[in-house]
Amino acid sequence: MIRMRARLLVLHVLVLTLLVVLAMRLWQVQVVRGQEFVTRATETRTRTVIVPAVRGQILDSSGRPLVRNKTALVVSVDRTRLSRMPDGGVEVLRKLSAVLDRPVAQLQQRITPCGPGVAKPCWTGSPYQPVPLDEKVDTREALQILERQEEFPGVTAEIHSVRQYPGGRAGAQMLGYLQPVTEAELEKREGLKASFSGVDLVGRDGLEYVYDEALRGKAGLRRVQVDRMGKALGVEEQTTPIPGDHLVTSIDSRVQNVVEKALARAMKSAPAADGGAGVVLDARSGRVVALASAPGYDPAIWAGGISARGYQWLMSEKSGKPLVSRAINGQFAPGSTFKVSSVTSMLRAGYPLNGKYSCPGSVMVGGRAFNNFRGIPLGTLDLHMALVKSCDTIFYQAAFEQYSKDGGRSPKKTPKEVFANVARAFGFGRPTGIDLPGESSGRIPDRAWKKDLWNRTSAVNCERSRKGYPEVKDRARAEFLKRLALENCTEGFLLRPGDAANFSIGQGDVLVTPLQLARAYMALVTDGKVRSPRIGWAQVRPDGKVVKTIDVPVVGKLPLSEKERRYIKNALSQVPSDGTAAGAFAGFPMNKVRIGGKTGTAEVWGKQDTAWFASFAPTQNPQYVVVVMISQGGMGGSAAAPAAREIYEGIYGIKRPPAVPGGRLTTRLPTFAPDGTVARG
């Protein structure tokens, strides 16, 4: 009995102790930390959703869409949620595979983060961002997912805005493309993380990249009350997203199509051609009317994630690297189109504008013969006819004389380097500053460049001069390369007489981009001012209000008087009728539209010549500057000039409807209706 009482006493004490502990815990939870738990409970019933803004369109000068939006049902997967499942989400992907009719392995690869050894398609975006698996889902497939959410945790099917390209391949490199936001970008790009919606895409190239912030708009916010199962109960707070601005460009989509077709035809006509570019500038404003590069590609290839095979094709030598814009990134020797700079150099060096100059078939420069085209002598010419007939030897002699005055192989302390400095004044040797990323600078090979090149390559050249080129099977070529290596090893830091001669006719180490050449000719045939071309014209809100007009800055001035510029322009105006482009323009109605220009044929070691034609029209008051370049196209007069003729015929409507009625480009921004559509008529 006593033992039982003792047990009951212990039990009573234990129960009382538990009650005291429970009371203390309740007091701690409800009184001491009550507010904290209330706040936490409230938080678990609220979900914050960032609503992405509709991206702005990219429009041509008349308001025609170059890039627009379309709505599409997109199936996305939260890879973080899948990774927390016991099987890593394999079962969910297996069910999703059946709905989307895609292999499970393909879906797994698509959501795998990109990294070393991971082939595309992989996920390039943030780990916190849903991975879009299919942007072409039909309603039936979407309903299968939405109506059975318990079978598809972490999978969503929502309507999203995706990019559409009405022009197909036209201007693909210029327009650019979109890709998912990376985690690094969220940390680096100011304001992006705060407005990150989880499905954002950012511009990766072209106009999409340069004007990304304006096009992207500002994301909205929605706070939604949900129950413990995550089911929405109501909207607590909502901020409407602000759509991105439209970008109105100076591109005329009709002219762009004309240039694309002319370029494709020129490439097809030259069997060895491996690339080309076409540039059309508005000579009066400095804006870009058309910018084409071949080979091109369909930018829709990026939609939904690009495959490894697709990306390799865009960057492979075999396909011609269609992702690269030859108009702004391609660097080529300009040939005789460069002589406008060399004539200017002669004038600044003191050669008389109306002087007479001997044009023999060959001249000796530094102990080596430099020939005219096919060694044909053209007698005594003035500078006007030297341009029309494209005499080389006049420029060889002038360049060698200036080289010698600078001290030749033993240069003066401060050589004048007239030819190189004038070329820089034309804008060569530096990017034009166009509103596109990754532009190449070209190359002006002066004495400083030679020294820098030697410092970087002398060790390799000296080693090759000793060991030779045993891997080269052609004995004669191997021996030539060994001698060249020895020469570059011992005196590669010197600017040689032949370097100066080649420079004067746009050969040797001088390189330019098609856009640089177009800009130089635009300055020459207008007011002498060197401008930085622009594609963007204005940022316009969806309601039509102009937010910002994008100006074309003046960045330099040609070292020519108005009289000298007019003299050179008059000479160029004779080339299509009586000079090296006469064959290409035979039968062209010059009485309707007179064309001026200059052909160029640049030799390339081991390849066919690069064909050029730089031109302008009408000659009296130029509206257009057109430059065509065909890599491995052969003669400029037979490959590039015919393509330029086709472009002018398309613009002015010769034997076809005109791309630009009356040949006059619009000078006013398109007007927009209150609903944001372009007002017609």
Side-chain angles (χ1 to χ4, degrees):
M1 189 72 178
I2 294 174
R3 184 179 296 176
M4 184 175 290
R5 285 180 178 177
R7 288 178 178 176
L8 287 172
L9 181 62
V10 170
L11 183 62
H12 288 161
V13 171
L14 181 62
V15 169
L16 286 172
T17 302
L18 290 173
L19 288 172
V20 170
V21 170
L22 180 61
M24 290 178 65
R25 182 60 179 161
L26 286 172
W27 179 78
Q28 183 183 33
V29 169
Q30 294 184 0
V31 178
V32 178
R33 300 181 64 188
Q35 186 59 43
E36 176 187 346
F37 287 120
V38 167
T39 302
R40 286 189 181 182
T42 304
E43 286 178 350
T44 58
R45 289 186 280 111
T46 303
R47 295 288 183 268
T48 300
V49 180
I50 296 179
V51 184
V54 176
R55 194 172 180 88
Q57 300 182 76
I58 300 177
L59 309 172
D60 84 345
S61 57
S62 297
R64 303 179 192 89
L66 300 173
V67 183
R68 64 188 176 196
N69 300 309
K70 67 173 183 177
T71 56
L73 275 169
V74 179
V75 170
S76 303
V77 168
D78 184 343
R79 58 176 301 277
T80 302
R81 186 171 177 183
L82 291 189
S83 66
R84 292 173 180 167
M85 296 179 182
D87 64 348
V90 173
E91 181 61 22
V92 173
L93 291 178
R94 186 187 64 78
K95 293 177 180 177
L96 191 58
S97 168
V99 174
L100 301 180
D101 193 25
R102 291 193 180 188
V104 174
Q106 186 184 100
L107 300 180
Q108 288 175 321
Q109 184 180 18
R110 183 71 187 84
I111 67 173
T112 302
C114 293
V118 180
K120 291 181 179 291
C122 53
W123 180 236
T124 59
S126 166
Y128 309 109
Q129 182 177 0
V131 183
L133 294 180
D134 198 332
E135 295 184 351
K136 299 179 180 178
V137 179
D138 60 32
T139 306
R140 181 184 60 81
E141 292 168 334
L143 286 174
Q144 288 185 64
I145 296 168
L146 294 174
E147 291 177 351
R148 294 183 289 159
Q149 274 290 284
E150 69 281 358
E151 296 182 30
F152 297 98
V155 182
T156 60
E158 299 176 325
I159 292 178
H160 286 280
S161 175
V162 297
R163 289 308 233 185
Q164 187 180 42
Y165 305 88
R169 302 162 71 95
Q173 300 94 340
M174 169 186 65
L175 296 172
Y177 57 92
L178 303 179
Q179 283 287 273
V181 180
T182 65
E183 192 170 8
E185 283 175 316
L186 287 176
E187 299 299 329
K188 289 181 180 179
R189 294 178 67 166
E190 186 178 350
L192 184 57
K193 191 171 185 177
S195 62
F196 178 57
S197 70
V199 293
D200 287 293
L201 300 174
V202 294
R204 279 282 181 269
D205 198 6
L207 297 173
E208 292 276 25
Y209 173 83
V210 173
Y211 294 99
D212 179 68
E213 186 175 351
L215 289 166
R216 192 172 358 108
K218 188 176 180 181
L221 183 79
R222 185 186 298 129
R223 295 189 190 279
V224 183
Q225 292 182 338
V226 297
D227 61 18
R228 64 186 183 86
M229 297 298 292
K231 184 177 180 181
L233 300 175
V235 178
E236 187 177 277
E237 180 186 350
Q238 181 166 318
T239 303
T240 305
I242 301 173
D245 296 337
H246 299 319
L247 176 66
V248 178
T249 71
S250 55
I251 298 297
D252 188 305
S253 57
R254 300 164 301 182
V255 177
Q256 181 73 34
N257 288 331
V258 168
V259 176
E260 298 277 356
K261 291 176 181 177
L263 203 55
R265 211 180 322 273
M267 295 257 308
K268 191 175 181 180
S269 300
D274 59 2
V279 180
V280 180
L281 300 182
D282 181 346
R284 300 175 188 179
S285 68
R287 298 190 183 278
V288 180
V289 179
L291 195 72
S293 177
Y297 73 96
D298 187 347
I301 194 174
W302 297 99
I306 191 170
S307 67
R309 184 177 179 182
Y311 188 76
Q312 289 168 4
W313 178 81
L314 286 176
M315 294 302 296
S316 73
E317 294 284 353
K318 188 176 181 180
S319 64
K321 292 187 176 181
L323 189 60
V324 177
S325 170
R326 284 166 171 80
I328 67 167
N329 297 119
Q331 302 179 100
F332 307 88
S336 292
T337 60
F338 195 70
K339 287 176 181 174
V340 295
S341 174
S342 296
V343 166
T344 305
S345 300
M346 290 177 65
L347 296 176
R348 296 291 68 78
Y351 294 85
L353 181 63
N354 296 307
K356 299 293 183 179
Y357 304 91
S358 175
C359 181
S362 177
V363 295
M364 296 300 293
V365 175
R368 175 186 162 196
F370 279 74
N371 303 320
N372 249 347
F373 179 64
R374 294 177 180 169
I376 300 172
L378 299 176
T380 300
L381 305 174
D382 55 16
L383 292 178
H384 178 107
M385 291 309 296
L387 286 171
V388 174
K389 299 300 182 183
S390 203
C391 172
D392 291 336
T393 51
I394 287 176
F395 299 104
Y396 290 149
Q397 293 177 91
F400 182 54
E401 287 168 4
Q402 295 308 305
Y403 168 83
S404 300
K405 285 184 178 181
D406 280 341
R409 288 175 174 269
S410 302
K412 297 177 181 178
K413 189 174 181 179
T414 54
K416 291 184 178 180
E417 297 195 278
V418 176
F419 277 76
N421 288 327
V422 166
R424 290 192 186 91
F426 269 79
F428 299 121
R430 69 176 188 270
T432 67
I434 189 174
D435 47 348
L436 289 176
E439 183 188 9
S440 298
S441 61
R443 184 167 67 205
I444 297 301
D446 58 6
R447 295 178 188 273
W449 176 83
K450 288 288 286 188
K451 287 182 180 179
D452 179 64
L453 179 66
W454 184 80
N455 288 331
R456 289 185 283 110
T457 61
S458 58
V460 174
N461 282 323
C462 291
E463 184 179 2
R464 283 292 192 176
S465 69
R466 294 189 300 270
K467 295 182 178 180
Y469 291 79
E471 72 276 13
V472 178
K473 295 180 180 179
D474 186 334
R475 293 286 298 277
R477 175 153 177 76
E479 189 59 33
F480 167 78
L481 291 173
K482 185 177 180 180
R483 290 196 307 271
L484 185 62
L486 177 61
E487 184 180 347
N488 287 329
C489 169
T490 56
E491 57 175 30
F493 54 89
L494 293 175
L495 188 73
R496 306 180 185 98
D499 295 329
N502 280 326
F503 184 97
S504 71
I505 63 162
Q507 292 278 183
D509 294 313
V510 60
L511 298 175
V512 307
T513 68
L515 181 62
Q516 284 177 331
L517 191 64
R519 173 174 76 160
Y521 271 69
M522 177 174 65
L524 178 66
V525 302
T526 54
D527 58 3
K529 295 178 181 179
V530 180
R531 292 174 169 82
S532 180
R534 289 292 180 270
I535 299 173
W537 189 357
Q539 291 171 209
V540 180
R541 288 180 184 164
D543 62 4
K545 183 178 180 180
V546 176
V547 177
K548 177 184 177 182
T549 300
I550 301 160
D551 296 323
V552 178
V554 174
V555 295
K557 190 176 187 305
L558 296 184
L560 286 166
S561 67
E562 184 179 352
K563 177 182 177 181
E564 291 167 335
R565 284 191 288 104
R566 192 183 309 115
Y567 181 94
I568 297 173
K569 187 177 85 166
N570 289 340
L572 298 177
S573 300
Q574 197 175 335
V575 171
S577 56
D578 303 310
T580 52
F585 282 89
F588 187 88
M590 292 289 182
N591 59 334
K592 180 178 180 181
V593 183
R594 188 164 184 82
I595 312 295
K598 187 77 188 76
T599 58
T601 304
E603 296 178 359
V604 183
W605 177 262
K607 295 183 178 181
Q608 297 294 315
D609 296 342
T610 302
W612 288 91
F613 189 65
S615 63
F616 55 95
T619 56
Q620 288 299 314
N621 188 16
Q623 166 82 79
Y624 300 96
V625 169
V626 175
V627 169
V628 175
M629 183 281 303
I630 307 295
S631 174
Q632 297 206 76
M635 300 287 292
S638 59
R645 172 177 176 158
E646 185 176 339
I647 292 170
Y648 284 118
E649 288 176 341
I651 290 173
Y652 287 101
I654 298 170
K655 299 179 182 178
R656 69 193 75 184
V660 183
R664 296 180 181 177
L665 294 166
T666 181
T667 57
R668 293 185 179 181
L669 288 167
T671 55
F672 293 80
D675 62 357
T677 59
V678 177
R680 302 292 181 185

